[in-house]
Amino acid sequence: HGIFDFIHRDLKTSPPQPYFSTNRIIEKDKNDNWSIGSLFGMAAEENVLMRRGTPFWEYLDRADIPVWLYRIPANYPPTKSKHGNVHCLPGMGVPDVLASQGTYQYFTSQSRKPSRPGGGIKSSLIPGRTADEFSGELVGPVNKNEPVDESTGLPPETKLAFRVYRDPVSDGAKIVLENQGLAGTITETEVVLSLSEWSEWTQVSFLMSSVEPTFSAMARFYLRSVRPELELYVTPLNFVPSNPAMVFSEPPSFVKDIAKEIGPFYTQGFAEDFKARDTKVLTDEEYKIQADLVLNERMKLLEYALNHYEHGLLFFYFSSSDLQAHIFWWEGEEPHPLRSWEDAKKYDHVVDEIYIKLDETLGRCLKRLGEDITVIVMSDHGFGNFGRGFALSTWLRDEGYLAAQYGLYVDTDWSRTRAYGLGLNGLYLNMKGREPQGIVTEGEREALLQELCDKLVAVRDPDNGRQVISRCYRTDQWYHGPETKNAPDIIIGYAAGYRSSWSTALGEFDKSIVVDNKKAWSADHCVDHELVPGIVITNKPINRDDPALIDLGPTILAEFGIETPQDMTGRSIFGPAPK
């Protein structure tokens, strides 16, 4: 499938620019030329699926077997069903209306400069005629009908004005949204909230031009504080599933059919707003409530899925056991990077409760589906603590492999750079003939790879002497096939308690080789895969001693009588036991 990390690099740019690996945004510049969008998205014209290979469900489609895929990752935009047997609602990879992977908006009556921390937009509410009146502007999608702003190189953002009236007596407020229409018309929508209350999905409209229909989106509002400061949180702007402004289901009518029956729901891939928790806009308890809203929507979606399933393949993805675990998982008695040990233990129950709830859900599914249907429960990874981060770019610089002082994309001298890091686990050689400004020759490659691997596994945390990296995986020894041309040269397997630092993902530098992880995202799985194995549970006997993730595709095909294709790795876990 050609996906080796959440972040890949573009070898057609110099230096090679990062992008989100599962799908990329293609856009038009001011001269009407097509180009590839950045990692975080810009003025989206078209999204392109970057996953390669033939997914297993296409073989089912050919065999006229119905396929229902709900929130499946890495299939956005969804592949077309050539035979009309596939219904797909994609998950991870679907952007929000701002063409990002999720940008929340936060407003406060406290006077402050506007800022855009990772994953969010923070703005001040403007005081009105009285002490309890305020106004603000929601940021919408860029307006491709307007001239490009020379300072940013982008068209201007659309804005939607709103007013907030704080109740002078009780802990509540009224939000009045000024939805824009053609010919300058304004339609007001009111949202009334008590303190700590979440709104239902509320539709908002942005005017893109005087002749085109308005751009509709939806959001949920959360009244975080009333006094002494008024604080309002707005979820990332999602597409309206009953009338989406872009195609993101297969067939396009599928998402509309779902919405007609269950109402609006999160359409963006990463629905749990961990970025708001990381930037301290939401507390632990507030994040849990928002994440539970997502889980409740998934339960409604599952009910829809079961009601419309008769036979064939039904795939359903729950994100809660992942995105709540990233925040609340903590095991052992090591110091937590953000909370006291007592507070970390206090939230143990969150992960426990998620598994209990999902187990009860599985029980209902088994009862509903009956004993004759094969049921597989699969997690693609486990979890582990993430208290310390390894600064790969800093290490490469200090060891003389990366010639830069301030960052990979700031001042790198590529004529003296032999290796660089990008993504959560990727290390690349600056290969001559492959990288835009490569210098490492094929004759130097083998010795350099071995040298890097030996040095990396020898790194020790200066604070406690522990091993930071348990294993380096050379991709030329672990992968095969045409997509290996885009693979990192080394995938770094971090030891227990460690992961790449947050700065490492985009080639930035930290002050030290090993740094504290100071984010609420305190557990992870992008480490040595042997330390965080996933699970597979079925209602049929497993006849393999070593079932693996790559076996799931062949297993599903075998259940429908389809032989494993020659270009597919893996084997059925239900097949005859090896002799």
Side-chain angles (χ1 to χ4, degrees), residues 163 165 173-179 187-193 199 202:
R163 308 185 303 278
Y165 300 91
K174 178 173 71 173
I175 306 156
V176 180
L177 301 157
E178 299 179 4
N179 290 300
T187 302
E188 293 188 345
T189 300
E190 294 186 358
V191 179
V192 179
L193 295 174
S199 76
T202 303

Side-chain angles (χ1 to χ4, degrees), residues 249-270:
S249 71
E250 172 60 24
S253 60
F254 185 41
V255 67
K256 299 178 184 179
D257 294 338
I258 296 171
K260 190 182 299 182
E261 198 162 311
I262 73 171
F265 55 89
Y266 278 97
T267 57
Q268 73 181 83
F270 292 110

